[in-house]
Amino acid sequence: MPKQFLLLWAIICSGVITYFCLTDSSNIPAVNFPSIDKIVHFCFHFGFTISWILFFKKELKGKAPDDYKAYLISFIFSVFFGITIEILQGVFTVTRASDVTDVLANALGAVVGVFTAIAFKKQIDKI
């Protein structure tokens, strides 16, 4: 799969996450499910991290002796992206607020994303 496609996919995923995290939350239907917000944050950053790992593994192929850089860059990017989104929610939105527990859910999603990618390394390397 061409790295340009993987980059486009990762950017689209990032854009979708940004949109849903910064959009007016009064337009989102209420769901009566405990901790649904944290589950959504976890899932967003799980997918975010996986999508960027796919791109960076292709981008760094042959340039880095080990795959660890793709995992590390993607994890750090995901954590900083999540922190930035939380800050933007507090500064630029009226219906949302910054929340430290959202950052923790984001980071946990990123960690699980990295370990999932490592577990499926052989399949990912074929992409």
Side-chain angles (χ1 to χ4, degrees):
M1 187 170 299
K3 71 179 177 182
Q4 294 85 354
F5 176 79
L6 295 172
L7 176 60
L8 179 62
W9 177 251
I11 290 171
I12 289 170
C13 288
S14 303
V16 168
I17 291 168
T18 301
Y19 173 78
F20 281 112
C21 287
L22 297 179
T23 192
D24 185 350
S25 65
S26 63
N27 295 333
I28 299 172
V31 177
N32 190 13
F33 188 85
S35 303
I36 188 69
D37 176 53
K38 304 310 174 241
I39 294 168
V40 169
H41 279 269
F42 174 92
C43 291
F44 276 172
H45 282 267
F46 175 85
F48 179 96
T49 304
I50 294 286
S51 66
W52 283 103
I53 286 171
L54 291 172
F55 167 71
F56 284 121
K57 280 181 68 76
K58 186 72 88 170
E59 175 67 19
L60 297 172
K61 192 172 193 165
K63 298 176 188 172
D66 298 315
D67 288 332
Y68 78 91
K69 284 186 180 180
Y71 301 112
L72 182 62
I73 291 168
S74 300
F75 173 76
I76 291 170
F77 185 32
S78 182
V79 170
F80 280 110
F81 181 80
I83 291 169
T84 302
I85 290 292
E86 288 304 312
I87 292 168
L88 293 174
Q89 283 180 339
V91 173
F92 292 113
T93 67
V94 177
T95 60
R96 296 182 179 267
S98 297
D99 186 352
V100 174
T101 57
D102 286 349
V103 172
L104 294 174
N106 297 343
L108 184 59
V111 167
V112 174
V114 167
F115 283 112
T116 300
I118 291 169
F120 288 94
K121 181 184 180 315
K122 288 182 182 178
Q123 293 83 355
I124 288 174
D125 286 346
K126 293 178 185 177
I127 295 176

